[in-house]
């Protein structure tokens, strides 16, 4: 089966003598360090990704050999005109922590080179500026194994919990590595420049993945948080309404900016103050008024409860 995974990005790398030896094994004419631009990239890892799939360690080891020498393109568009760079070295790296599946965290790192030419100048500038940084790998694997039943073909759905166990699929036995590609949106969660780590939205879900009880608790917390946000929006809206009615000369645009930064106790107190002020300016009127010269008790007696 064909697989595309987008786990990581690029970081500038300065080539040394060993790098140039490896690069020149791929070049038809000997190149110098001044002629090439090199960078490192995170190709793929063994974490459960957004598709609820993961590579195991043996698969990463197999891909390490398969990706050596493979070219880089754009958006998996297979064209010679789109070739931008080539991998000259790969290495399986370990990092701290464990995956959601319980394994030590591993990732496949690659080093690529391209010519410092007029054609590549814009791409090099974009890499340096961090614009071009997410990459994706295209490969094929022989097996895709379910974590619930151990079968390759089944009815289980990735991301669902079965009897408290998370369902995901392990990609095994890679048979080929086609290419790596610059892409816009990565599927794997640790996309980004290798030399730095940036916590991304959804980090709590990533940490809770593989623990159904944590996912359920997180979902409940999210529901409660949304209820709290709705309550605060309503509270702020009511305060702005009352302030506008009670103080006609008030600059509501400036006042609204202050209201949006207030906490609950401040909102409740100001709401009370403006409601009292509004009641003083516009007191409630009775529905029925006694006619002059008549006794109110006699006039309104029929309406007493």
């Amino acid at each position: 089966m064909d697989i595309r995974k987008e786990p990581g990005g690029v970081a500038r790398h300065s080539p040394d003598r060993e790098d140039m030896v490896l690069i020149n094994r791929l070049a038809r004419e000997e190149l110098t360090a001044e002629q090439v631009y090199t960078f490192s990239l995170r190709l793929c890892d063994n974490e459960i990704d957004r598709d609820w799939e993961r590579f195991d360690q043996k698969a990463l080891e197999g891909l390490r050999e398969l990706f050596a020498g493979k070219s880089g393109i754009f958006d998996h568009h297979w064209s010679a005109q789109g070739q931008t760079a080539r991998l000259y070295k790969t290495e399986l790296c370990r990092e701290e922590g464990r995956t959601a599946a319980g394994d030590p965290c591993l990732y496949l790192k690659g080093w690529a080179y391209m010519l410092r030419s007029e054609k590549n100048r814009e791409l090099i500038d974009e890499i340096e500026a961090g614009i071009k940084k997410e990459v994706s790998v295209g490969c094929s694997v022989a097996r895709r194994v379910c974590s619930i039943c151990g079968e390759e073909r089944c009815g289980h759905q990735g991301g669902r919990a079965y009897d408290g166990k998370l369902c995901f699929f392990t990609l095994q036995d890679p048979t080929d590595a086609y290419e790596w590609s610059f892409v816009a949106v990565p599927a794997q969660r640790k996309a980004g420049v290798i030399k730095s780590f940036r916590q991304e939205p959804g980090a709590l879900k990533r940490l809770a993945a593989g623990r159904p009880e944590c996912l359920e608790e997180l979902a409940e917390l999210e529901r409660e948080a949304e209820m709290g946000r709705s309550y605060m929006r309503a509270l702020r809206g009511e305060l702005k309404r009352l302030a506008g009615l009670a103080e006609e000369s008030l600059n509501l645009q400036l006042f609204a900016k202050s209201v949006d930064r207030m906490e609950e106790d401040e909102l409740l107190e100001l709401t009370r103050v403006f409601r009292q002020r509004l009641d003083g300016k516009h007191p409630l009127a009775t529905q029925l008024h006694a006619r002059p010269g008549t006794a109110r008790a006699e006039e309104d007696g029929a309406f007493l409860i």
Side-chain angles (χ1 to χ4, degrees):
M1 71 185 66
D2 294 335
I3 299 292
R4 287 180 181 174
K5 292 299 171 189
E6 300 88 351
V10 303
R12 183 173 54 183
H13 172 72
S14 298
D16 56 21
R17 184 175 180 179
E18 180 184 350
D19 292 312
M20 293 311 304
V21 170
L22 296 174
I23 290 171
N24 281 313
R25 287 180 183 177
L26 299 172
R28 299 190 64 177
E29 296 182 2
E30 187 165 343
L31 301 170
T32 65
E34 291 73 23
Q35 290 178 288
V36 297
Y37 174 82
T38 59
F39 55 95
S40 62
L41 56 154
R42 185 183 180 119
L43 290 166
C44 46
D45 58 36
N46 64 338
E47 184 57 273
I48 300 173
D49 61 25
R50 294 184 178 94
D51 297 323
W52 304 104
E53 296 176 336
R54 64 183 290 271
F55 292 108
D56 62 12
Q57 181 172 343
K58 288 186 177 180
L60 291 178
E61 291 171 349
L63 289 172
R64 179 181 63 81
E65 298 180 2
L66 291 171
F67 268 111
K70 291 300 189 293
S71 60
I73 55 179
F74 289 96
D75 294 319
H76 298 287
H77 182 63
W78 293 8
S79 169
Q81 293 181 345
Q83 287 180 305
T84 59
R86 190 173 295 276
L87 291 172
Y88 65 88
K89 182 171 65 172
T90 56
E91 178 183 341
L92 190 59
C93 302
R94 184 184 297 272
E95 57 187 353
E96 293 183 1
R98 289 187 172 273
T99 67
D103 298 326
C105 293
L106 300 171
Y107 69 92
L108 181 58
K109 183 178 181 180
W111 286 262
Y113 78 96
M114 69 173 71
L115 288 176
R116 288 186 178 274
S117 63
E118 188 65 27
K119 174 186 175 183
N120 292 332
R121 178 181 296 177
E122 182 177 349
L123 176 57
I124 292 173
D125 289 343
E126 290 178 335
I127 292 174
E128 289 285 293
I131 298 172
K132 288 286 192 301
K133 64 177 183 176
E134 285 82 15
V135 296
S136 163
V137 296
C139 63
S140 61
V141 298
R143 306 181 69 221
R144 181 177 180 267
V145 180
C146 175
S147 65
I148 302 299
C149 63
E151 299 294 330
E152 296 182 51
R153 297 181 182 276
C154 64
H156 294 120
Q157 297 180 17
R160 289 188 57 182
Y162 296 87
D163 295 327
K165 186 178 180 181
L166 179 70
C167 178
F168 59 87
F169 300 91
T170 299
L171 306 175
Q172 300 177 344
D173 302 334
T175 58
D176 198 1
Y178 308 132
E179 36 72 16
W180 56 275
S181 175
F182 286 103
V183 295
V185 181
Q188 289 192 327
R189 292 170 168 81
K190 290 189 177 180
V193 178
I194 289 177
K195 62 183 178 183
S196 65
F197 175 75
R198 179 184 62 192
Q199 187 169 340
E200 57 185 320
L204 287 177
K205 286 187 177 179
R206 176 174 61 82
L207 292 173
R211 301 174 178 83
E213 69 281 2
C214 294
L215 287 172
E216 291 177 6
E217 184 176 351
L218 180 59
E220 180 62 26
L221 289 173
E222 288 177 340
R223 285 193 292 269
E224 292 177 357
E226 181 54 37
M227 290 173 61
R229 286 190 288 268
S230 297
Y231 165 71
M232 293 296 287
R233 284 194 296 267
L235 201 57
R236 291 188 172 100
E238 177 65 4
L239 175 54
K240 294 172 187 177
R241 184 186 73 84
L242 290 174
L245 293 172
E247 297 292 339
E248 297 178 358
S249 61
L250 183 66
N251 187 324
L252 278 179
Q253 189 173 7
L254 292 177
F255 181 73
K257 291 181 180 180
S258 299
V259 170
D260 291 338
R261 293 192 293 268
M262 292 180 185
E263 298 297 332
E264 181 189 21
D265 56 345
E266 299 170 311
L267 293 170
L268 290 173
E269 177 61 19
L270 279 180
T271 297
R272 183 189 66 80
V273 170
F274 279 112
R275 182 173 285 118
Q276 285 185 346
R277 193 170 299 177
L278 185 62
D279 290 344
K281 291 180 64 175
H282 306 286
L284 291 176
T286 58
Q287 185 177 8
L288 298 175
H289 300 277
R291 293 195 300 271
T294 63
R296 182 177 181 84
E298 296 176 1
E299 189 71 22
D300 298 340
F303 299 97
L304 295 178
I305 297 176

